[in-house]
Amino acid sequence: MFGKKAQPPIKGLLAQGCRIEGQLRFTEGMRIDGQVVGNIHAVPEQPSLVVISETATVEGEVVADHVIINGTVRGPVRAAELLELQPRARVEGDVSYGAMEIHQGAVIVGLLRHDPPAEEKPLLKLAASNA
């Protein structure tokens, strides 16, 4: 399901040494190497990816389809499709995810809630009689 779909390209970067205070909204892909004090939200109803590198610190909510964390997040995380926690990840907040991959060394201080994406149910097909 997750491996078959192409990831959105990373079009935004907050470099190491940079700091943003306030809301950060993005489309497609975003990489955070610096510090964000505020919420990071992907634009809804578009495929989205956010990467929080090992040098990054986020103090706020992180919301996207696919979230990859190898740094520190102090706040809730919502990954509609996939949450990847790399070995240096530290999340201090509640986590909601469709699917999760967690590497040895990653830490979550909060509640985990599996929230699978809504999938369309196949249509019921009735067998026709051959009479």
Side-chain angles (χ1 to χ4, degrees):
M1 175 165 98
F2 301 109
K4 297 178 183 176
K5 190 164 68 170
Q7 292 296 325
I10 293 180
K11 293 188 173 180
L13 169 67
L14 177 66
Q16 186 175 359
C18 293
R19 175 183 168 110
I20 289 182
E21 294 183 18
Q23 303 291 332
L24 178 59
R25 291 183 55 87
F26 68 94
T27 58
E28 298 187 271
M30 181 74 185
R31 180 180 173 97
I32 309 293
D33 291 336
Q35 184 178 14
V36 176
V37 178
N39 297 331
I40 300 172
H41 285 209
V43 172
E45 299 182 17
Q46 291 183 16
S48 58
L49 165 69
V50 64
V51 177
I52 299 170
S53 78
E54 65 184 49
T55 61
T57 302
V58 176
E59 296 179 24
E61 182 179 48
V62 177
V63 179
D65 291 336
H66 186 173
V67 179
I68 301 172
I69 301 174
N70 201 23
T72 301
V73 176
R74 293 183 188 97
V77 175
R78 288 190 293 150
E81 292 180 7
L82 178 61
L83 172 63
E84 293 182 48
L85 298 175
Q86 301 291 323
R88 293 185 168 194
R90 179 166 181 87
V91 178
E92 298 173 9
D94 295 346
V95 174
S96 171
Y97 60 93
M100 182 168 51
E101 178 180 324
I102 185 166
H103 293 252
Q104 184 175 352
V107 175
I108 300 172
V109 180
L111 299 175
L112 297 176
R113 187 178 77 224
H114 181 241
D115 191 12
E119 296 183 23
E120 292 183 26
K121 294 181 181 178
L123 295 175
L124 179 63
K125 293 184 181 181
L126 299 176
S129 70
N130 292 334

